Amino acid sequence: MDESRRKLALIMNPAAARGRALRLLPRVREQLDVLELPYRVIEARDIAHAMEAGSAAAAGGETVVAMGGDGMFGALAGAVRGEAPLGVIPAGRGNDFARELTIPDDPAAACMVLADGVERQLDLGEANGRPFVCIASTGYDSDANRIANEARLVRGNLVYLYAALRALAAWRPARFRVRLDDREESFQGYTVAAANCRFYGGGMRIAPNADPADGLLEVVLVEQSSKLRFLSNLPKVFSAKHVELEGVRTFRAREVEISADRPFDVYADGDRITELPATVRVVPRALRVLAPRSKA
């Protein structure tokens, strides 16, 4: 089969970013028609329906395209698991996986990647067996993610700042135990993040050395400090300068076991996917993803 003519199964989340996917759909249809790419659109009722549709489309020889946020892509990645190539049209709030792959935010430009992009083999993350593509984190991050997802009046990426401040105001230190392959770390602090990619939270480079194709997770531990110091250092996450700070430690591991002295959910790709205790691992080269051609 001519890969450029393979039919696309465009699976969209109508609720992503408060309907952004629906608003962008006419432009996507127009561009796909211009490119003469055969496609069909599937409006997912929920994540389970999206995964079922993605698995069926892949089995039928279609290229599965996620049109939504990181959570949608992570779920489809888990459903397809290398059986077919996956495409991305960013239509969520954070779009961090697209950012990792330098897939344009503009829907017409993202469609061009579906037409002439190259296939890359990438790793998949799992937390207690639940798939994710970006970063699984817990602790303070759990509280901030929950607040961001529940916010209704704050729009766009401002919701991440709002959530960070709300979570910090109510935060009390937690003690974490983390096993990284054959070593163990115990500390009091804010966050444990196991990263397959560099970005989360709409562009925060929490794990600047993470590589989704190296078969490893970058694990970031953020130890306890005063709330004032934590707040003053928060902007450094966007430039990755936070990893130079005392109290921020990074490790590399294939498998990470995380527990804490009180209950926490684990969030990944913007959604709650499990709870502690959690085993987070990397599944090497489990994804086939359409990405832009290198400009080098």
Side-chain angles (χ1 to χ4, degrees):
M1 177 186 294
D2 180 355
E3 297 292 327
S4 66
R5 308 305 304 162
R6 177 177 288 173
K7 185 176 181 180
L8 308 178
L10 182 63
I11 302 177
M12 62 171 293
N13 177 6
R18 298 186 178 180
R20 183 173 183 237
L22 276 176
R23 294 191 297 273
L24 295 179
L25 184 58
R27 292 181 61 195
V28 170
R29 286 184 179 274
E30 179 182 8
Q31 185 64 20
L32 292 178
D33 289 339
V34 168
L35 295 170
E36 298 183 343
L37 291 176
Y39 69 93
R40 64 187 177 107
V41 176
I42 303 166
E43 290 194 18
R45 296 186 298 271
D46 51 34
I47 288 296
H49 179 219
M51 293 178 69
E52 180 182 352
S55 181
E62 295 176 286
T63 294
V64 177
V65 179
M67 185 174 177
D70 294 317
M72 168 70 83
F73 192 86
L76 289 175
V80 173
R81 288 183 182 265
E83 186 176 349
L86 289 163
V88 185
I89 298 179
R93 185 167 55 193
N95 300 320
D96 286 304
F97 190 66
R99 181 176 287 106
E100 178 70 39
L101 299 182
T102 67
I103 293 173
D105 192 58
D106 176 73
C111 288
M112 291 295 298
V113 177
L114 303 179
D116 66 2
V118 295
E119 190 175 301
R120 292 183 58 189
Q121 286 195 294
L122 302 178
D123 304 333
L124 179 69
E126 286 185 339
N128 285 346
R130 292 286 302 276
F132 67 92
V133 290
C134 291
I135 296 173
S137 61
T138 192
Y140 167 81
D141 284 11
S142 307
D143 295 347
N145 266 281
R146 175 183 52 79
I147 293 168
N149 289 348
E150 293 174 352
R152 293 294 177 266
L153 299 178
V154 185
R155 297 184 178 274
N157 281 353
L158 281 176
V159 73
Y160 297 116
L161 175 60
Y162 165 79
L165 295 176
R166 282 278 309 276
L168 184 61
W171 176 253
R172 57 188 177 89
R175 178 156 290 279
F176 298 95
R177 177 170 293 176
V178 184
R179 180 177 292 278
L180 306 112
D181 293 336
D182 59 353
R183 72 178 289 169
E184 186 170 300
E185 298 287 333
S186 181
F187 73 101
Q188 183 166 290
Y190 286 92
T191 290
V192 179
N196 187 45
C197 295
R198 292 173 293 171
F199 301 101
Y200 74 173
M204 289 187 281
R205 294 173 61 192
I206 181 69
N209 296 313
D211 181 348
D214 67 355
L216 293 168
L217 298 166
E218 182 174 12
V219 183
V220 182
L221 311 182
V222 182
E223 298 178 343
Q224 190 60 32
S225 64
S226 71
K227 290 184 179 182
L228 181 60
R229 176 174 293 180
F230 183 88
L231 181 61
S232 66
N233 287 331
L234 194 59
K236 296 179 181 178
V237 180
F238 288 96
S239 63
K241 295 294 186 181
H242 67 291
V243 295
E244 302 172 3
L245 299 172
E246 182 181 357
V248 177
R249 295 187 291 153
T250 62
F251 302 87
R252 311 283 281 175
R254 290 179 173 84
E255 184 172 286
V256 186
E257 297 176 11
I258 310 169
S259 60
D261 62 355
R262 65 176 189 267
F264 282 108
D265 290 328
V266 177
Y267 279 75
D269 304 336
D271 295 325
R272 179 195 178 278
I273 61 170
T274 189
E275 61 188 21
L276 295 184
T279 298
V280 186
R281 68 188 188 104
V282 64
V283 185
R285 302 173 70 83
L287 302 180
R288 298 161 55 194
V289 183
L290 295 175
R293 293 181 181 273
S294 173
K295 297 180 180 179

